[in-house]
Amino acid sequence: MTGYQVRTAEQMAGLGSSSLADEGTPLARAAEHTLLARQGAAMRPPLPRPSTTRVMVVANQKGGVGKTTSTVNVAAALAQLGQRVLVIDLDPQGNASTALSVEHHQGTPGTYEVLVEGAALDDVLVPSPEVPGLDVVPATIDLAGAEIELVSVVARESRLQKALAADPRVGETGSGEDRWDYVLVDCPPSLGLLTINALVAGAEVLIPIQAEYYALEGLGQLLKTVEMVQAHLNPTISVSTILITMYDARTRLAAGVAEEVKAHFGDQVLRTHIPRSVRVSEAPSYGQTVMTYDPGSPGALSYLQAAQEIVRHGTFGVPAVKGTEA
Ligand SMILES: Nc1ncnc2c1ncn2[C@@H]1O[C@H](COP(=O)(O)OP(=O)(O)OP(=O)(O)O)[C@@H](O)[C@H]1O
Ligand SMILES: [Mg+2]
């Protein structure tokens, strides 16, 4: 680990958020958060919309690493930054639907109907009641049977891709104001047909990695699956974004894991790490993302910053405008 750089309060105040972005110390991050919080949601100018819909698959077959938390909070943050966003809940647990406060009791039309029955996205999606500009395709427990039911369905790996391609809100800017700028797909913790459907439908994979021991174990299997899909089903899919979650800046272990992830994935790793925070974990029990539950909290500000980085990244890992931070 590198040594800490000590700065006076005056020096800290003189630093823009860009200079702070690389700092890993708790004090530096706190200062950065204060700067971001002061900007205020209303003061933030909307960020430019991408030229075409970016379909991002949030996947990691390891359970509990922050897939759902990252999906809903990045989605809400993107919407707050002026982007039009669709979240597709692809996990029978329906956690993303819960966090976004949309109905998902058994029988509610959602991802199951899209994948198994060929329903149109428009027939099943629901606008988020909490976040303007954010739509949700809910998942119910019915989806638990889809892995098996899909086995006998024609073109079973490309059901989601077909549904997205059929919707006029997916595509280039020409498709209008309503066009979704980002589609985020929250995958279950497995590499079965549901996750394969997401990988066939998407262009980018966002992998949340929990900053803990064993973080990288099992990732090889996910990367091999992405390669397999790339070779046989969807040549455009690639890993574009790695997000380190539940980062505890006080521990050497977290810093060590972050270093290891960076050594492995380089520029694909977002510079923003999501801190472990009680506010982040309690937001879903209020049917909210942390972006609305406690917008000034470090967790919300980190997700906002991660979303800003994602917007500035191109469609692949190399940032489109490298090194420029708002
Ligand atoms: N930054 C954070 N700080 C504190 N708790 C967090 C944070 N991120 C996620 N959690 C908590 O960790 C648990 C797992 O997170 P989450 O459900 O997002 O993971 P997941 O990868 O989607 O899990 P699964 O594999 O079951 O779908 C949840 O209880 C969540 O509230
Ligand atoms: Mg989940």
Side-chain angles (χ1 to χ4, degrees), residues 242-258:
I242 308 286
L243 178 58
I244 294 174
T245 65
M246 293 180 249
Y247 185 81
D248 186 345
R250 294 166 304 181
T251 68
R252 276 169 179 274
L253 174 67
V257 170

Side-chain angles (χ1 to χ4, degrees), residues 64 66-69 91 93 95-96 186-189:
K67 291 181 289 295
T68 302
T69 307
D91 187 346
Q93 297 177 101
N95 295 152
D186 183 28
C187 292

Side-chain angles (χ1 to χ4, degrees), residues 20 23 26 48 60 69 71 110 112 115 131 142 150 168 183 188 225 291:
L20 290 167
E23 299 286 339
N60 188 337
T69 307
T71 301
Y112 175 87
L115 294 180
V131 185
D142 300 318
L150 277 175
V183 175
T225 305
M291 305 310 299

